[in-house]
Amino acid sequence: MAAPPLEKSMVVDTSPLTTADIIVAPPPPRTNAIADTILDTYHAFHERREALGLSNPGPVDEIAKEVQRSVFLTNQTFSGLRAELNKSFSIYPLFQISHAFSTGSQMLSPYTFLALYGTDNLLCQAQLDSDASFSARFNSRLTNRFIFKSNVQMQPAQMGQPGAAQVSLEQDYRGSDFTAQLKSINPSVLEGGLTGMFIGSYMQSITPALSLGIEGVYQKPGGGIGPEAAISYAARYKSTDWIGSLQLLTQGGLQGTYWRRLTDKVETGVDVNLQFAGLSDSNAMLGGAKKEGVATLGAKYEFSRSIYRAQVDSQGKIGCLLEKMIAPPVRVTFAGEMDHAKNSAKIGIAVSIEASGEELMEQQDKISPASPPF
């Protein structure tokens, strides 16, 4: 019997594929004209936004940070004598404690203890005063763009005045060219409905220099009082050596700031706040009807080992602040303020000592310091 014929061997072509041999899959078929139009519009708009090279503008409440926080004496003036002893134990995780002693001031407690712990994604800070006042904050960076912030303050009853407590919850989302923020103060549902103050804001970069934003405030007190609401619009323009901002309150307020860097060591800022109308009696969140304006001019000069700030406003108030680094661990601060309209003045002197051991010096050479979500 003859053997069956052998099958033909298969020959494999190992030559590289050419462009003509590659089959490109066709695009998915259009199933919904309305949805496809919306998606195409969104993708085209997104591509144009990326082509502009826009940056994050920051939140609405920081449009004037160069003037309010860098040049002006906001929350920096004090009176009396104050001494601070700061001790740093580690730079990653960041761990610091502070002891502050003061006298001759009605605004500062005789003794304050502060502790801070932080990593790149976490911040825990607590402060306790000798009058039993307590404040703490906890911030968490959940993602690279989303940050959750919480703040608690408790004030005991003093001199016949009832105690007070406040809870603040804040969520910040920072996109590539926008920032959205939602903040609630003393939210509660224990009085038959939602009460508290709620603030929502959105800031969007329009061009590399111009940013526009909107902020809304809703307040619902307890005790059967009706709700109140307010809306404001914000704009910020950033040039190479100057920044201007404007915020318009629809109920009758206008605030404008201008910051300019004159030299590498000199900065100046101007703030104009106008109240040309007020709210009605039934919606008096920001006070009664009034027409007034305040203009403030400030300057900041950085020496090699010191920083000098000064400001004057249209109401006759003059203030100055001088920070001098005597030695690397010792800093002296002098603050003075004179109010001609009220015929009052205050002077403050503070000494701050930074204590750090040799281990901390070694860590600075080997470990990058933590950057907590402040």
Side-chain angles (χ1 to χ4, degrees):
M1 182 175 181
L6 297 176
E7 297 180 357
K8 295 182 179 180
S9 60
M10 299 180 64
V11 179
V12 180
D13 187 6
T14 59
S15 59
L17 296 175
T18 62
T19 306
D21 298 328
I22 300 177
I23 300 176
V24 179
R30 300 274 179 165
T31 58
N32 190 309
I34 298 178
D36 293 336
T37 302
I38 295 176
L39 289 176
D40 292 342
T41 304
Y42 171 78
H43 290 313
F45 178 72
H46 184 69
E47 292 176 357
R48 292 184 179 180
R49 286 173 58 182
E50 291 183 346
L52 291 175
L54 303 178
S55 59
N56 185 277
V60 172
D61 56 4
E62 293 184 2
I63 60 174
K65 62 181 180 180
E66 289 80 9
V67 175
Q68 300 292 342
R69 301 183 183 181
S70 178
V71 177
F72 285 0
L73 311 180
T74 307
N75 299 327
Q76 297 189 41
T77 59
F78 61 95
S79 60
L81 302 178
R82 187 175 67 180
E84 296 181 1
L85 177 61
N86 304 319
K87 173 68 175 180
S88 298
F89 295 91
S90 174
I91 61 174
Y92 196 93
L94 182 63
F95 181 49
Q96 300 175 349
I97 62 172
S98 174
H99 303 271
F101 305 87
S102 63
T103 181
S105 174
Q106 298 180 353
M107 304 298 297
L108 300 176
S109 299
Y111 172 74
T112 300
F113 173 78
L114 184 143
L116 185 147
Y117 175 86
T119 63
D120 290 338
N121 299 320
L122 185 70
L123 173 67
C124 300
Q125 179 179 330
Q127 177 177 313
L128 180 64
D129 298 339
S130 57
D131 58 359
S133 299
F134 175 78
S135 64
R137 60 174 174 165
F138 174 81
N139 300 349
S140 176
R141 182 180 284 112
L142 303 179
T143 65
N144 293 333
R145 298 185 181 277
F146 186 72
I147 299 177
F148 172 79
K149 302 179 182 180
S150 60
N151 192 312
V152 178
Q153 297 180 3
M154 291 185 291
Q155 184 76 27
Q158 292 181 353
M159 302 178 63
Q161 298 293 332
Q166 177 176 297
V167 177
S168 174
L169 305 176
E170 182 177 338
Q171 297 82 34
D172 291 353
Y173 186 85
R174 296 176 181 254
S176 58
D177 57 358
F178 72 93
T179 297
Q181 186 179 77
L182 178 62
K183 186 176 183 180
S184 57
I185 301 176
N186 287 345
S188 176
V189 292
L190 302 179
E191 299 186 26
L194 184 62
T195 60
M197 178 180 289
F198 305 90
I199 305 173
S201 64
Y202 181 85
M203 196 76 179
Q204 173 70 56
S205 293
I206 306 301
T207 68
L210 178 64
S211 303
L212 300 178
I214 185 173
E215 182 180 63
V217 181
Y218 176 83
Q219 179 177 345
K220 177 63 170 65
I225 303 177
E228 304 169 356
I231 297 178
S232 63
Y233 302 96
R236 173 183 166 94
Y237 189 88
K238 182 178 180 180
S239 182
T240 55
D241 57 352
W242 65 271
I243 299 174
S245 68
L246 186 67
Q247 188 165 12
L248 174 64
L249 186 66
T250 56
Q251 283 76 9
L254 180 66
Q255 182 177 12
T257 63
Y258 176 80
W259 174 89
R260 188 177 185 89
R261 182 180 295 276
L262 301 180
T263 65
D264 294 339
K265 297 183 179 180
V266 180
E267 302 175 20
T268 183
V270 179
D271 179 272
V272 178
N273 194 336
L274 302 177
Q275 296 289 339
F276 47 84
L279 304 177
S280 62
D281 295 337
S282 60
N283 190 10
M285 181 187 300
L286 303 177
K290 54 185 177 180
K291 295 182 180 180
E292 61 181 13
V294 179
T296 307
L297 173 64
K300 173 184 175 182
Y301 191 95
E302 296 184 10
F303 298 90
S304 58
R305 299 178 64 87
S306 61
I307 299 176
Y308 177 76
R309 295 181 177 89
Q311 73 178 44
V312 57
D313 61 26
S314 59
Q315 295 182 340
K317 183 182 295 185
I318 302 174
C320 65
L321 184 76
L322 175 63
E323 296 177 319
K324 174 69 175 179
M325 184 68 70
I326 304 299
V330 181
R331 184 177 72 253
V332 176
T333 303
F334 170 82
E337 186 178 271
M338 180 179 297
D339 193 336
H340 292 278
K342 298 180 180 179
N343 195 20
S344 63
K346 59 181 181 180
I347 296 177
I349 300 177
V351 178
S352 178
I353 300 176
E354 299 283 346
S356 59
E358 297 181 356
E359 297 180 356
L360 188 63
M361 298 296 181
E362 297 176 356
Q363 289 183 6
Q364 295 178 351
D365 298 334
K366 301 178 181 180
I367 305 176
S368 299
S371 179
F374 287 99

